[in-house]
Amino acid sequence: MQSINSYISEHKQRFLDELIELLKIPSISADSAYKKDVLTTADAVKTSLEKAGCDHVEICKTEGYPIVYGEKIIDKNLPTVLVYGHYDVQPPDPLDLWNSPPFDPIIQKTDLHPEGAIFARGACDDKGQMYMHVKAMEYMTANNELPCNVKFMIEGEEEVGSVNLSTFVKNNHEKLKNDVILISDTGMIAPDVPSITTGLRGLSYVEVEVTGPNRDLHSGLYGGAVANPINVLTKMIASLHDENNHITIPGFYDKVENLSDAERAEMAKAPFSLEAYKKSLDINAVYGEAGYSTNERNSIRPTLDVNGIWGGYTGEGAKTVIASKAYAKISMRLVPHQEWEEITQLFKTHFESIAPKGVTVKVNPHHGGQGYVTPIDSIGYQAASKAYEATFGKTPIPQRSGGSIPIVSLFEEELKSKTILMGFGLDSDAIHSPNEHFGVWNYLKGIETIPWFYKHFTELSK
Ligand code: BES
Ligand code: MN
Ligand code: MN
């Protein structure tokens, strides 16, 4: 029987070529112009699961993009691992900031990826990380190393809120029955500092609209005499944080879990260089809630951020005008126990209440989701920890992430199983940004580590 390492060295080039083919398809779920490509990607994922050794693979239609489901059940008495991932990607905009076309993958070396990284939209989030599981499956089936049952559920709407996946999960408890859910759609601290993500933040996303006069006005003839919606909106937004950068929405922090000093001290042990952090972003200072460190601010604390703001004249030159309307998109990252729908409601009530006379304010909620924390004493966590020990030679550090995968808390509610987040990306891999990339080393290390998870999970389940 061949070891995973020798299997990887033998098939490395093909593993890269196959991923590159998948990355060429622009599966942008947010933009309906790419509908055909998203569907083509689902078919490609289906074919890859069949080739990797799944006994049964199907495309499950939804009201939106399909879910690719695959399985190999070797023995009903053995545990079942459910792998989740997504084949859709974020829009690549702004295109002119890419150094190479987003759907024409190239491999290039970087300081953090001396063995090269694949540059393409979706390379890390999540096609590259999802495909590690397909290749690990191929290894296990080809070498008679699959120790338990496996199910795959790869969706095409993660980047737009997983609405149809929620329905699918609610309606398919039996089909999706499992003992643990395994996801690679997060990151790790550094190539030499393996970590397992133990928390995700929740999300509440809203759009606000401020309306003043019934039409755009001459800013000389009317300026100073009527409320300017852009002035008002920016003032309202500014008031959402106080001088300590605490969020001012009444009730916003009520359910926030306060970590004990011991837990915070444990978190602070994770290696982190503030200087390197600032340097990597070309900023001269960090910024955030008083009383918390950078790593706390971006993981265990909730936030409120404007994601986009517009209104009035933004074309070339100057136009003297008071716009009739101003808009903003605002995201709030939440921590476990905060209820996203309640937070959306608190935001709406507060934001409408602070509107001055002379304008009307509308708050339109978008999607949202709950945060997640997973214990480190579960069999799943222990199995993952042993897997990293086998391939990195080090015990991984538990790390709470600032990002969100809202479907994870629904998995726990509906399927009653814990999710293990084995991410192999780096924060600097530029997911959602121009020049997204995924290290070749990270990709192969993921493929190498995953079979160890199956082995240890099956053994620990006995
Ligand atoms: N894979 C990311 C989430 C992520 C990345 C979590 C890195 C932890 C570390 C996922 O695809 C994503 O982008 N999620 C969205 C939320 C979704 C509702 C659009 C996010 O976090 O903004
Ligand atoms: Mn993702
Ligand atoms: Mn994403």
Side-chain angles (χ1 to χ4, degrees), residues 162 225 328:
S162 301

Side-chain angles (χ1 to χ4, degrees), residues 86 90 125-126 158-161 185-187 197 200 203 333 367-368 401-406 427 431-432:
H86 62 96
Q90 283 276 326
D125 184 13
D126 178 42
E158 196 277 343
E159 299 292 8
V160 291
D185 193 23
T186 56
T197 305
L200 293 164
L203 182 70
R333 294 283 168 171
H367 52 77
S401 171
S404 309
I405 312 178
D427 281 356
I431 63 170
H432 294 208

Side-chain angles (χ1 to χ4, degrees), residues 320-384:
T320 48
V321 67
I322 293 175
S324 161
K325 284 174 184 287
Y327 305 84
K329 290 182 194 278
I330 296 175
S331 71
M332 287 163 278
R333 294 283 168 171
L334 310 177
V335 296
H337 308 315
Q338 281 183 299
E339 304 280 344
W340 77 269
E341 279 159 319
E342 184 184 333
I343 294 292
T344 301
Q345 195 51 52
L346 288 177
F347 177 92
K348 187 172 159 62
T349 307
H350 177 68
F351 206 69
E352 286 168 355
S353 81
I354 60 172
K357 285 207 179 82
V359 298
T360 51
V361 169
K362 256 200 232 161
V363 176
N364 298 315
H366 279 267
H367 52 77
Q370 290 300 109
Y372 186 70
V373 259
T374 192
I376 61 168
D377 56 4
S378 69
I379 293 179
Y381 187 92
Q382 294 303 321

Side-chain angles (χ1 to χ4, degrees), residues 231-302:
N231 291 7
V232 168
L233 174 62
T234 50
K235 204 167 164 181
M236 289 170 72
I237 288 172
S239 79
L240 296 175
H241 289 93
D242 69 13
E243 65 283 5
N244 289 317
N245 279 316
H246 289 300
I247 294 155
T248 55
I249 300 169
F252 185 84
Y253 290 99
D254 283 2
K255 293 187 176 168
V256 169
E257 160 200 43
N258 285 310
L259 268 68
S260 67
D261 289 347
E263 281 172 297
R264 291 179 69 185
E266 197 54 44
M267 265 190 81
K269 284 187 195 157
F272 175 72
S273 156
L274 192 60
E275 280 317 307
Y277 185 82
K278 288 191 289 190
K279 194 156 173 271
S280 74
L281 300 174
D282 283 326
I283 50 174
N284 56 23
V286 290
Y287 185 93
E289 190 182 0
Y292 294 93
S293 70
T294 294
N295 274 333
E296 290 174 334
R297 287 170 179 166
N298 68 24
S299 66
I300 59 163
R301 298 299 294 168

Side-chain angles (χ1 to χ4, degrees), residues 212-223 226-227 320-324:
N214 59 4
R215 59 188 166 86
D216 288 7
L217 302 174
H218 188 287
S219 66
L221 296 181
Y222 291 92
V226 296
T320 48
V321 67
I322 293 175
S324 161

